[in-house]
């Protein structure tokens, strides 16, 4: 029967394809009800000043613990949420929860929220932010919106306009995962990002003595400095990497070395404690 199998090979991989589509459909169905089912939670990862090592902000990172599928990685459900546009309601929830939590922290600590291109292209996205701030009482200057270079791909003009509206509210904008997307320096010329986040891959490269990674980090730091933007090194995992990054002149550091993403309660007690010690 080998000949039949060869001749009808599509019958053999059809089930796999089908299973994949089926799994996706199930996951999508579960994602649709994740918020109502109380399965979503925000974790918060500290970002520290490279010199003082004091916490300057937390990045809000979404966690999904599905009753049906168990914990699902953001690497899996964020792209699914983007494809299905569920990221719009989910992102609204993230924004509100992140602002609500940040309003309880000391005044000097900001919260950074990841925003997808699909959200940015929603006509009323800036008013979603206005509402989240109003509902939670968080001052605009304590909210930082993180976007990746990919938000400029589809409709760069609209994305840029919305980011300008958000900046006009008093929020800051960070350029996330810098160097991994379709890097174009054009928007660095016209958009006033407050922070460029150097992707973890460069930090890891530099830590392994990659001359290319070192050169790129140096160049990004110099460029950010002359554009009056700060830099955050992502994915710093030990003391050695932290020392290297400090030497390279990054302004801020984020990574497991200074803290993993943690539940809101833990983040809160960390900053309250930090304050009492100071
Ligand atoms: P990101 O915005 O670049 O977030 C940083 C990611 O790096 C997080 O992964 C964080 O847990 C991880 N990370 C931080 N420090 C270290 C480290 O020292 N070593 C290593 N190996 N990893 C580290 P996470 O939480 O799995 O999120 C992955 C991505 O999912 C995020 O990347 C972001 O693009 C997206 N994401 C997460 N939450 C949201 C959200 O609420 N909305 C949107 N639109 N995207 C989100
Ligand atoms: Mg981010
Ligand atoms: Mg990042
Ligand atoms: Mg990333």
């Amino acid at each position: 029967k080998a000949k039949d199998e060869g001749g009808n090979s599509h019958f053999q991989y059809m089930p796999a394809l089908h299973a994949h589509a089926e799994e996706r459909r199930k996951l999508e169905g579960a994602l649709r009800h994740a918020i109502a089912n109380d399965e979503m939670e925000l974790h918060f990862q500290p970002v520290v000043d490279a010199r003082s090592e004091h916490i300057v902000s937390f990045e809000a990172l979404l966690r999904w613990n599905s009753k049906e599928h168990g914990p699902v990685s953001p690497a899996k459900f964020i792209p699914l949420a983007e494809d299905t546009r569920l990221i719009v309601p989910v992102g609204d929830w993230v924004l509100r929860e992140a602002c609500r939590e940040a309003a309880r922290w000391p005044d000097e600590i900001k919260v950074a929220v990841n925003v997808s291109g699909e959200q940015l292209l929603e006509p009323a996205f800036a008013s979603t932010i206005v509402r989240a701030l109003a509902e939670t009482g968080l001052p605009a200057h304590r909210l930082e919106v993180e976007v990746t270079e990919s938000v400029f791909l589809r409709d760069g003009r609209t994305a840029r306009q919305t980011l300008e509206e958000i900046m006009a509210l008093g929020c800051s904008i960070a350029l996330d995962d810098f160097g991994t997307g379709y890097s174009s320096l054009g928007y660095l010329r016209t958009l006033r990002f407050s922070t460029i986040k150097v992707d973890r891959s460069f930090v890891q490269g530099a830590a392994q003595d990659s001359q290319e990674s070192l050169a790129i980090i140096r160049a990004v730091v110099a460029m950010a400095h002359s554009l009056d933007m700060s830099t955050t090194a992502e994915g710093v995992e030990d003391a050695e990497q932290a020392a290297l990054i400090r030497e390279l002149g990054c302004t801020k550091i984020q990574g497991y070395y200074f803290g993993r993403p943690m539940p809101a309660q833990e983040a809160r007690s960390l900053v309250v404690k930090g304050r009492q010690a100071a």
Side-chain angles (χ1 to χ4, degrees):
K1 291 278 159 191
K3 192 182 142 223
D4 281 8
E5 276 165 25
N8 295 307
S9 55
H10 59 284
F11 283 125
Q12 288 178 313
Y13 50 80
M14 272 294 278
L17 262 181
H18 187 74
H20 184 73
E22 178 70 10
E23 194 210 329
R24 237 182 99 91
R25 203 185 51 75
K26 277 198 181 138
L27 213 55
E28 182 188 335
L31 186 58
R32 202 168 287 282
H33 300 105
I35 290 176
N37 286 348
D38 212 20
E39 298 172 348
M40 290 293 188
E41 191 187 348
L42 284 187
H43 279 197
F44 295 89
Q45 185 179 31
V47 177
V48 305
D49 178 276
R51 290 184 185 283
S52 70
E53 299 192 355
H54 288 161
I55 294 172
V56 291
S57 62
F58 285 94
E59 178 173 6
L61 293 159
L62 188 55
R63 296 292 177 260
W64 179 22
N65 195 357
S66 165
K67 286 181 183 113
E68 220 180 313
H69 305 271
V72 187
S73 151
K76 194 166 190 175
F77 76 78
I78 295 288
L80 178 66
E82 290 175 342
D83 289 352
T84 55
R85 300 189 50 78
L86 283 169
I87 195 68
V88 174
V90 169
D92 280 9
W93 182 86
V94 169
L95 201 57
R96 218 159 335 104
E97 287 300 306
C99 291
R100 195 191 314 286
E101 195 53 40
R104 310 171 70 159
W105 303 336
D107 288 344
E108 64 276 14
I109 298 175
K110 294 187 181 194
V111 68
V113 175
N114 293 286
V115 167
S116 297
E118 283 68 23
Q119 292 173 270
L120 218 53
L121 295 183
E122 280 285 288
F125 185 64
S127 58
T128 302
I129 291 192
V130 172
R131 215 172 318 120
L133 295 171
E135 277 176 28
T136 60
L138 188 76
H141 69 89
R142 291 184 56 203
L143 173 64
E144 181 155 82
V145 167
E146 292 195 4
V147 297
T148 62
E149 295 161 300
S150 66
V151 301
F152 300 106
L153 279 182
R154 191 150 38 103
D155 180 356
R157 238 184 80 136
T158 306
R160 180 188 300 258
Q161 269 168 8
T162 307
L163 288 175
E164 268 160 10
E165 282 171 39
I166 296 170
M167 282 188 255
L169 296 174
C171 303
S172 51
I173 313 287
L175 192 51
D176 205 355
D177 301 349
F178 186 72
T180 59
Y182 301 80
S183 301
S184 152
L185 300 181
Y187 43 76
L188 282 178
R189 192 175 50 193
T190 49
L191 268 173
R192 303 189 44 78
F193 296 100
S194 66
T195 302
I196 297 177
K197 299 189 78 172
V198 178
D199 191 70
R200 176 161 64 91
S201 55
F202 298 107
V203 174
Q204 294 304 312
Q208 287 157 30
D209 265 357
S210 149
Q211 293 309 305
E212 292 79 9
S213 293
L214 284 164
I216 289 168
I217 297 179
R218 283 202 186 93
V220 172
V221 167
M223 180 182 70
H225 185 76
S226 39
L227 289 169
D228 204 21
M229 298 172 187
S230 64
T231 42
T232 301
E234 301 191 85
V236 170
E237 293 184 347
D238 56 42
E240 224 175 300
Q241 293 176 8
L244 172 63
I245 284 304
R246 198 174 295 121
E247 231 175 81
L248 289 168
C250 285
T251 333
K252 293 174 279 182
I253 305 181
Q254 180 176 2
Y256 294 169
Y257 179 58
F258 288 104
R260 293 190 174 241
M262 59 188 92
Q265 178 84 57
E266 262 179 62
R268 203 184 305 151
S269 68
L270 199 62
V271 284
V272 170
K273 241 193 311 179
R275 234 200 181 174
Q276 284 163 349

